[in-house]
Amino acid sequence: MIHRHCSFCDATESEHNPLIAGNGVYICRNCVLSAYKIMFGDDHVSHAAHKPLVDAVTQLMTPKELDAFLGDYIIGQERARKLLSVAVYNHYKRIFKVHGITDDDTEIAKSNVLLIGPTGSGKTLMAQTIARVLNVPIAIADATSLTEAGYVGEDVENILTKLLQAADGDVERAEQGIVFIDEVDKISRMSENRSITRDVSGEGVQQALLKIIEGSKVNIPPKGGRKHPNQDFIVIDTSNILFICGGAFDGLSEILKKKQGQNVLGFGQEKKSKAEREITYAMVEPDDLVNYGLIPELVGRLPIIASLNEITQEDMVRILKEPKNSLIKQYKKLFSIDDVELTFEEDALLAIAQKAIKRKTGARGLRAILEETMIDIMYELPEYAGYEVMITKEVIEENQKPIYVKKNIKKTA
């Protein structure tokens, strides 16, 4: 089955989100409403038009549909994609079950997600993509800038200010949004032994996060910054906000090795097979995170742990070519604007992937490598209108010039 997508917001066509087809383009209901608002102002658009796409259980994409959408942009990471798809589906189903079903007193607890994986494995991209398909506001925060209230740095409540800004000031819409907190491993406490000095950027931040992650009514300053007396506050209920935390957790493998009984140093180690020696993030359990430096209360509020694997060379090549917004497709489009056709030999893509793996920067290192290679070519690009530019392995590895081939121009009768 072919899924058509909105040409403006990339939303997937469904029974409850039909697309209007034009001359090779499609537009969804939400983009039509947004265009109407731009043309005629807010007064002509009903309040219902501003609500998120997920305003009823029947409008939610199924976990399989969510996973398929993620697969269009994220290569590999099948297990993590499946876990996140189910978690998101259950979370928004929970919101509307509470409001729509009153046959019993059962309350469904919120299940926040923790994404663990090496740098450049797709943690942030996964959160951004899932928010886009749901058409809900998302706030992305870096935990390294957070400090305990009263100290230099950002207060934890400023994360919710970002979410409110992403929702265009609509509190109700913000209360159904997603918050992604990156680098959460950087707020691990210094050691398991309590120190006499205050750990204001480690355990102090973890304690402050507990309140907003679990679900409570939080007073936030409308424009962010520090709280001060006689200030007007906006109250946000975080009970229905989905929190996704991500981190690389460097050094966690050593904790896992000790748990598996593997000696890192010393004599007399038994030879084990590669499979037995291999330690993966999939083995992580809550107590390992506590040993790493997260407080048990915070770990308990992140019940779903999705591990992302390190990206292989084959995955790197696929990332370059296959996603809808892949780098190769982006560069081809840039070149086509100047009437230049861009092609990459398979060996060239392999060389780019090998370079990225050596740099240990994950998928985000691919763009840096391509920019280094393409900058001189793009400098002269307007002069080669009507040509085909072929990128070979030598261009990537030895910084040689690409092959320029004049395209055949068909004569019209």
Side-chain angles (χ1 to χ4, degrees):
M1 180 180 177
I2 299 174
H3 290 284
R4 298 191 301 182
H5 299 270
C6 175
S7 302
F8 297 88
C9 70
D10 211 33
T12 306
E13 182 181 30
S14 66
E15 182 183 349
H16 302 281
N17 186 34
L19 299 183
I20 300 172
N23 186 16
V25 296
Y26 305 94
I27 186 168
C28 69
R29 181 184 61 183
N30 290 331
C31 289
V32 170
L33 288 169
S34 297
Y36 188 85
K37 184 177 75 171
I38 292 169
M39 294 295 294
F40 301 103
D42 292 343
D43 295 338
H44 292 266
V45 185
S46 65
H47 176 67
H50 296 281
K51 291 196 174 183
L53 177 65
V54 286
D55 57 358
V57 178
T58 55
Q59 290 187 340
L60 280 172
M61 295 174 71
T62 65
K64 282 187 178 180
E65 289 173 334
L66 287 170
D67 182 35
F69 186 85
L70 286 172
D72 287 339
Y73 296 90
I74 298 161
I75 299 300
Q77 314 298 5
E78 287 82 4
R79 181 65 181 169
R81 281 177 8 213
K82 184 182 290 187
L83 283 170
L84 186 60
S85 299
V86 171
V88 166
Y89 178 75
N90 285 340
H91 174 76
Y92 285 103
K93 187 169 65 172
R94 160 191 171 271
I95 293 175
F96 304 114
K97 176 180 174 63
V98 171
H99 293 293
I101 301 176
T102 56
D103 58 348
D104 57 35
D105 297 327
T106 305
E107 291 187 9
I108 303 174
K110 181 169 64 168
S111 294
N112 299 304
V113 183
L114 176 62
L115 300 177
I116 300 177
T119 180
S121 56
K123 300 184 292 293
T124 308
L125 179 61
M126 206 171 280
Q128 289 173 327
T129 307
I130 206 77
R132 181 168 56 192
V133 69
L134 293 171
N135 192 25
V136 295
I138 181 172
I140 298 177
D142 194 326
T144 53
S145 64
L146 301 175
T147 57
E148 196 173 344
Y151 291 84
V152 175
E154 284 193 79
D155 288 348
V156 169
E157 287 84 356
N158 284 352
I159 297 173
L160 299 178
T161 304
K162 291 179 182 177
L163 184 63
L164 184 61
Q165 291 168 349
D168 296 326
D170 188 337
V171 174
E172 185 180 357
R173 194 162 182 260
E175 289 178 344
Q176 294 178 357
I178 294 175
V179 170
F180 179 70
I181 305 174
D182 203 2
E183 306 288 358
V184 75
D185 54 316
K186 303 302 187 295
I187 58 170
S188 58
R189 59 190 184 194
M190 298 173 191
S191 68
E192 288 194 73
N193 301 319
R194 303 257 176 177
S195 172
I196 57 172
T197 58
R198 294 185 66 86
D199 187 8
V200 298
S201 61
E203 185 174 352
V205 174
Q206 293 188 52
Q207 295 286 357
L209 280 173
L210 294 178
K211 180 177 68 172
I212 68 168
I213 287 182
E214 183 176 19
S216 61
K217 293 185 177 180
V218 182
N219 294 326
I220 65 166
K223 296 181 181 179
R226 295 291 184 190
K227 294 181 179 179
H228 56 80
N230 303 321
Q231 184 180 20
D232 292 329
F233 293 108
I234 296 174
V235 179
I236 290 186
D237 187 352
T238 64
S239 302
N240 293 330
I241 296 175
L242 179 65
F243 285 85
I244 302 174
C245 297
F249 288 86
D250 292 327
L252 187 60
S253 58
E254 301 304 318
I255 294 172
L256 296 175
K257 284 178 183 177
K258 288 179 182 177
K259 187 174 75 171
Q260 295 292 323
Q262 295 187 19
N263 294 322
V264 181
L265 298 172
F267 297 101
Q269 297 187 66
E270 296 180 5
K271 290 185 178 179
K272 298 183 179 181
S273 67
K274 183 179 179 181
E276 288 177 316
R277 292 197 310 268
E278 190 177 2
I279 298 293
T280 65
Y281 285 112
M283 300 177 180
V284 175
E285 294 179 354
D287 60 320
D288 300 320
L289 299 173
V290 174
N291 291 335
Y292 188 86
L294 297 187
I295 59 176
E297 298 91 333
L298 182 61
V299 174
R301 286 163 175 79
L302 299 167
I304 299 175
I305 301 174
S307 58
L308 285 79
N309 303 320
E310 192 166 351
I311 298 175
T312 63
Q313 183 173 290
E314 291 75 16
D315 287 337
M316 288 282 193
V317 174
R318 291 181 61 200
I319 288 168
L320 283 168
K321 298 189 298 182
E322 294 182 16
K324 286 194 171 183
N325 59 342
S326 72
L327 289 171
I328 299 300
K329 290 175 184 176
Q330 291 179 40
Y331 276 103
K332 283 187 174 183
K333 191 166 186 176
L334 274 175
F335 275 58
S336 67
I337 294 170
D338 285 312
D339 191 27
V340 178
E341 184 181 346
L342 176 65
T343 57
F344 281 82
E345 290 187 352
E346 200 65 29
D347 287 345
L349 297 177
L350 198 60
I352 295 168
Q354 289 169 348
K355 264 193 175 183
I357 287 174
K358 284 179 183 177
R359 294 186 182 185
K360 297 182 179 179
T361 52
R364 63 167 54 93
L366 294 171
R367 179 175 285 278
I369 294 167
L370 276 169
E371 286 290 344
E372 291 169 9
T373 303
M374 308 297 285
I375 193 70
D376 291 331
I377 301 169
M378 290 190 290
Y379 181 75
E380 301 174 345
L381 191 61
E383 301 170 17
Y384 288 96
Y387 278 80
E388 178 186 357
V389 178
M390 296 178 63
I391 307 299
T392 62
K393 180 181 179 181
E394 290 72 26
V395 177
I396 305 299
E397 293 183 344
E398 302 169 18
N399 203 25
Q400 292 185 11
K401 285 195 171 185
I403 300 171
Y404 294 95
V405 181
K406 184 74 173 176
K407 291 191 290 184
N408 292 325
I409 301 173
K410 295 180 180 180
K411 293 181 179 179
T412 56

